[in-house]
Amino acid sequence: MLARVWSASIIGIDAVKVGVEVDVSGGLPGIVILGLPDAAIQESKERVRATLKNTGFAFPVKKIVINLTPADLRKEGPCFDLPISIGILAASDQISPQLLGDYLFLGEVSLDGSLRPVAGVLPIAASAQKMGIAGLVVPADNAQEAAVVEGLAVYGFNSILEVADFLNNPTRYQPVQVEANPTSEIFTLGNVDLKDVKGQAHGRRALEIAAAGGHNLIFVGPPGSGKTMLARRLPGILPPLTFSEALEVTRIHSVAGLLKNRGKLVRDRPFRSPHHSASGPSLVGGGGFPRPGEISLAHNGILFLDELTEFKRDVLEFLRQPLEDGHVTISRAKQSVTFPSQFTLVASTNPCPCGYYGDTIQACTCSPRQREQYWAKLSGPLMDRIDLQVAVNRLKAEEITQQPTGETSGDIYQRVLRARKAASERFAEEKNLRCNAQMQSRHMQKWCQLDEQSRKLLETAINKLGLSARASDRILKVARTIADLAGDEQLKSHHVAEAIQYRTIDRMQ
């Protein structure tokens, strides 16, 4: 007898509907799985056999052919254990096949019949309605994650016995309900607060501008000046994720298997901090079955690269295209996968190999040639894409001993929210524009118009600093954010002047 069960496979962060066709017929007993299965799916033959026997079902002593369609799509992972088990039970007349065409089945089975959670359930749930699926049948630990998607009936079960009973008696069960919308503007402070930072008014201001406009930022200064401390306080002043942003972030983390709480959307903006020994594929993603890398895991959040010049130059060059386009495409022989990567880059580095070039207390021991080679790791095009370039100086003795006097993260957070709200209202008719850093040329022509004084000021900066066209555009975007923080609709010369000062360490030697 033939039975067909629906499941799904992940490609990037999207899902493809997969048919699991099971034919139980006469012949030598055995199981054959067709349709480009990986090793985990091939191993499911023995898992399913033991599971059905241990839960009291009769395993057919016949030839069983399992075909995963479409046949030219590679499939991976243990999520096909449950649909294969259900297909065998339906093909051997042990459960009713009536509902098999309406639901999509996902889950790994244990030998005792219990269901284990799998990765990537949320993207599949988000795509299920487009597939013509009425609902999902998943492990109980995945149920609330899938139920975040509205308009989709999700049933979570602890064992294959419960799934079989549901298919035979569907009216006994109710779909899972969950509160999906995480949107909130309640400020929640973590373990760090900008009020604890002594001095560094210039760095604190740069953090505020970066948070308000989504601008890339780099701190340059000697060891112990507070570069990393400042960077790690940026998440505390970022605006909350909108529902659509939270859904995007949660889908990526679901595919990567990183969801700590499967019952809720990710509420906090990601903060990823890879080590400087990270490889290119670990940053952009990759693998035989492409998986998201650090830049995609930082989508709608922060990618923090501490000691930027310690990263290999070729690894840093991987960042150029995602920083500009907001996504990364990974090509393989038979498929091409695109992951979103709309992140804010925050970096820190020393000004030279010894770390003390320009320091007022300790003398630099590096030669000009060593400093030149040190900064050669950061290409001009990469530095052009960093909007805010901030020199962080060593604190003076009196600043170290005095009590902190700066504003709290909560106060700065409120200003950031007001600036983001102003930008959101300005971009109301732009579908994919969320912050000033994402503006393109046509947007800047409309919202970054300069008066004569501001134009001459910018021209002077371009000539004296040798700025590229891309760098000058970044200045205008930063100036737009500074104006939003000040509550001004039009750009003024002092907004542009402040923005220009954040480009003064371009190509630092």
Side-chain angles (χ1 to χ4, degrees), residues 182 184 186-190 235-236 238-242 245-250 253 259-260 264-272 297-302 413:
S184 172
I186 299 176
F187 177 72
T188 57
L189 184 64
L238 290 174
L241 290 168
T242 64
E245 289 176 333
L247 187 59
E248 290 174 358
V249 173
T250 308
H253 284 236
L259 282 186
K260 295 180 180 179
K264 298 180 180 179
L265 294 180
V266 175
R267 294 174 180 262
D268 300 323
R269 290 189 180 272
F271 185 90
R272 305 293 299 182
L297 294 173
H299 180 62
N300 287 330
I302 303 297
Y413 173 81

Side-chain angles (χ1 to χ4, degrees), residues 57 71 89 157 187 200 214 232 264 307 353 446 469-470 474:
F57 292 106
L89 293 177
F157 300 104
F187 177 72
Q200 306 299 2
R232 292 193 178 277
K264 298 180 180 179
E307 302 299 339
K446 182 177 181 181
R470 182 187 292 114
R474 300 279 174 172

Side-chain angles (χ1 to χ4, degrees), residues 240-321:
L241 290 168
T242 64
F243 177 75
S244 61
E245 289 176 333
L247 187 59
E248 290 174 358
V249 173
T250 308
R251 287 176 67 179
I252 296 171
H253 284 236
S254 177
V255 169
L258 298 179
L259 282 186
K260 295 180 180 179
N261 189 340
R262 296 181 182 274
K264 298 180 180 179
L265 294 180
V266 175
R267 294 174 180 262
D268 300 323
R269 290 189 180 272
F271 185 90
R272 305 293 299 182
S273 181
H275 191 260
H276 60 75
S277 62
S279 65
S282 71
L283 283 182
V284 301
F289 291 91
R291 286 288 182 265
E294 291 291 340
I295 62 174
S296 294
L297 294 173
H299 180 62
N300 287 330
I302 303 297
L303 178 68
F304 176 48
L305 301 183
D306 200 8
E307 302 299 339
L308 184 67
T309 47
E310 296 299 323
F311 285 78
K312 295 180 180 178
R313 180 184 172 113
D314 60 335
V315 172
L316 293 178
E317 292 304 298
F318 280 111
L319 297 174
R320 287 168 54 177
Q321 182 259 334

Side-chain angles (χ1 to χ4, degrees), residues 409-430:
S409 291
D411 294 334
I412 299 173
Y413 173 81
Q414 294 301 326
R415 288 202 298 271
V416 168
L417 282 185
R418 288 194 291 270
R420 286 272 186 155
K421 183 178 180 181
S424 178
E425 292 173 352
R426 185 165 59 244
F427 304 146
E429 297 181 359
E430 299 290 338

Side-chain angles (χ1 to χ4, degrees), residues 300-366:
N300 287 330
I302 303 297
L303 178 68
F304 176 48
L305 301 183
D306 200 8
E307 302 299 339
L308 184 67
T309 47
E310 296 299 323
F311 285 78
K312 295 180 180 178
R313 180 184 172 113
D314 60 335
V315 172
L316 293 178
E317 292 304 298
F318 280 111
L319 297 174
R320 287 168 54 177
Q321 182 259 334
L323 282 172
E324 197 71 23
D325 299 338
H327 64 265
V328 58
T329 300
I330 302 172
S331 297
R332 292 293 180 265
K334 293 187 177 180
Q335 64 179 3
S336 181
V337 175
T338 299
F339 293 111
S341 57
Q342 193 72 59
F343 60 92
T344 297
L345 174 64
V346 179
S348 68
T349 187
N350 294 331
C352 65
C354 78
Y356 295 101
Y357 179 65
D359 188 45
T360 57
I361 298 177
Q362 186 164 340
C364 174
T365 60
C366 304

Side-chain angles (χ1 to χ4, degrees), residues 135 140 173 175 213 405-406:
Y173 298 89
T405 57

